[in-house]
Amino acid sequence: SVGHTHTAHDMEVFIDELAHAAGSDPVAYRLSLLTRAPRLSGVLKLAAEQAGWGGKPSEKGRGLGVAVHESFGSYVAMVADVTAEDAKVKVNRIVAAVDVGVAVNPDVIRAQVEGAVGFALSSVLRNRITLKDGVVQEKNFDAYEPTRMSEMPVVEVHIVPSTAAPTGIGEPGVPVIAPAISNAIFAATGQRLRSLPLDLSGLKGA
């Protein structure tokens, strides 16, 4: 998703911090800033509603995080349900809402968002490129591991009905994944991770 990946992560983690500093619910805080952005607020409301936002997690170390972003003329919000314990993160569920204008092929839209989660999850949780003497150390997928099927969360994709001109969904599903998970980790642990990949080993008590 080109620059949208790190741009969305920085913005949405920062917005989440502002919401908590203001003592405001993260969804309500975002909606207060989006009064002139009906399509962004629309996907945010839909994702929050479908995820059951506002309920209390049933388990210790479990939390919900949210993020919303526009890229390439498309609007995507995600709520991540994660469990953070023993210096590990398990993503249990991703609820996404997308507004791409007229949904020409809803099955393809859902598949693209599901694929975006699978594609990005390993980069969010573990993968990085490291250099030694100017040489990249990760030479193959044994050191740069793709997401395994066993790691995939439940992914729900909800499409906003629209009569607007159709836009794209090939890349817009990616940028909101990292900040949604990062914000969920904060909700679960009370501690912030501000850089990628998200590494719990440095958290207090991890």
Side-chain angles (χ1 to χ4, degrees):
S1 300
V2 205
H4 289 282
T5 46
H6 48 273
T7 299
H9 182 255
D10 290 349
M11 288 176 56
E12 283 299 292
V13 171
F14 187 51
I15 289 290
D16 213 66
E17 292 199 44
L18 292 175
H20 285 280
S24 179
D25 174 82
V27 170
Y29 187 85
R30 283 171 172 81
L31 289 173
S32 73
L33 302 175
L34 296 173
T35 55
R36 298 184 181 181
R39 296 179 75 179
L40 277 173
S41 61
V43 291
L44 180 56
K45 289 176 183 177
L46 180 58
E49 177 185 348
Q50 294 296 328
W53 185 269
K56 296 293 183 183
S58 58
E59 305 168 18
K60 182 182 178 181
R62 191 163 182 170
L64 297 180
V66 66
V68 61
H69 187 71
E70 175 195 356
S71 60
F72 307 101
S74 296
Y75 305 81
V76 180
M78 284 188 184
V79 174
D81 172 349
V82 310
T83 300
E85 59 182 357
D86 300 325
K88 294 182 180 178
V89 177
K90 175 177 170 48
V91 182
N92 306 302
R93 180 184 179 215
I94 296 286
V95 178
V98 300
D99 180 348
V100 293
V102 173
V104 176
N105 191 326
D107 286 342
V108 168
I109 293 170
R110 293 187 186 94
Q112 286 290 328
V113 177
E114 291 165 356
V117 173
F119 169 78
L121 204 57
S122 57
S123 298
V124 172
L125 297 181
R126 62 170 170 264
N127 285 342
R128 67 184 82 210
I129 296 294
T130 56
L131 297 171
K132 183 177 180 180
D133 299 325
V135 178
V136 173
Q137 298 303 292
E138 293 75 21
K139 300 182 184 300
N140 213 318
F141 289 116
D142 58 339
Y144 195 87
E145 297 180 54
T147 303
R148 309 297 183 187
M149 288 297 291
S150 60
E151 297 174 305
M152 276 296 292
V154 173
V155 181
E156 301 173 20
V157 183
H158 303 276
I159 302 170
V160 175
S162 176
T163 57
T167 51
I169 195 59
E171 297 180 40
V174 172
V176 287
I177 298 171
I181 294 173
S182 180
N183 294 334
I185 290 172
F186 172 77
T189 67
Q191 300 183 68
R192 285 285 178 194
L193 296 174
R194 298 183 177 87
S195 60
L196 295 170
L198 300 172
D199 183 2
L200 266 65
S201 62
L203 290 182
K204 298 175 183 177

